[in-house]
């Protein structure tokens, strides 16, 4: 992820939020930053799923590397809310969601 050859910017319906991603091999990182240092900002990101190696409308997990939180996202449009006093940015590792059958099989054999 140290080079900028895979850098992609994604649309956001709020000018105070910036969203970009980088990919390397099977890793995809999406960063969303609140550019307003005073106020909470929220909006919808419009992710380029092809750039992230995801299928259209497939569910996926966005794992926040800053907080450890996991978000279940689906498709291109996903909402974000960032308060600069609490969390001014997300650094999200994108992970394909496992089908429920695989999860149950892994837990219960």
């Amino acid at each position: 992820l140290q080079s900028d050859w895979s850098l992609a910017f994604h649309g956001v319906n709020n000018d105070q939020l910036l969203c970009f991603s980088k990919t390397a091999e099977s890793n995809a990182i999406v960063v969303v930053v609140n550019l307003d240092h005073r106020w909470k900002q929220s909006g919808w990101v419009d992710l380029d799923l092809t750039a992230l190696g995801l299928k259209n409308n497939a569910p996926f997990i966005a794992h926040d590397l800053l907080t450890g939180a996991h978000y279940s996202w689906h498709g291109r449009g996903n909402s974000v809310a960032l308060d600069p006093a609490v969390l001014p940015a997300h650094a999200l590792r994108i992970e394909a969601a496992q089908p429920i059958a695989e999860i149950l099989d892994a837990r219960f054999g």
Side-chain angles (χ1 to χ4, degrees), residues 42-65:
S42 60
W44 287 84
V45 296
D46 182 22
L47 299 175
D48 179 349
L49 298 178
T50 304
L52 298 174
L54 297 169
K55 296 178 182 176
N56 281 339
N57 294 319
F60 58 95
I61 303 298
H63 175 200
D64 194 324
L65 301 173

Side-chain angles (χ1 to χ4, degrees), residues 16-87:
Q16 293 299 312
L17 296 173
L18 175 68
C19 181
F20 63 92
S21 67
K22 303 249 335 219
T23 57
E25 298 174 15
S26 62
N27 293 313
I29 303 293
V30 172
V31 176
V32 185
V33 179
N34 181 351
L35 301 175
D36 183 345
H37 68 279
R38 290 184 215 152
W39 304 106
K40 179 179 180 179
Q41 297 291 330
S42 60
W44 287 84
V45 296
D46 182 22
L47 299 175
D48 179 349
L49 298 178
T50 304
L52 298 174
L54 297 169
K55 296 178 182 176
N56 281 339
N57 294 319
F60 58 95
I61 303 298
H63 175 200
D64 194 324
L65 301 173
L66 301 176
T67 65
H70 290 79
Y71 305 99
S72 179
W73 281 8
H74 186 270
R76 295 181 61 96
N78 295 279
S79 69
V80 294
L82 294 168
D83 185 338
V86 179
L87 183 67

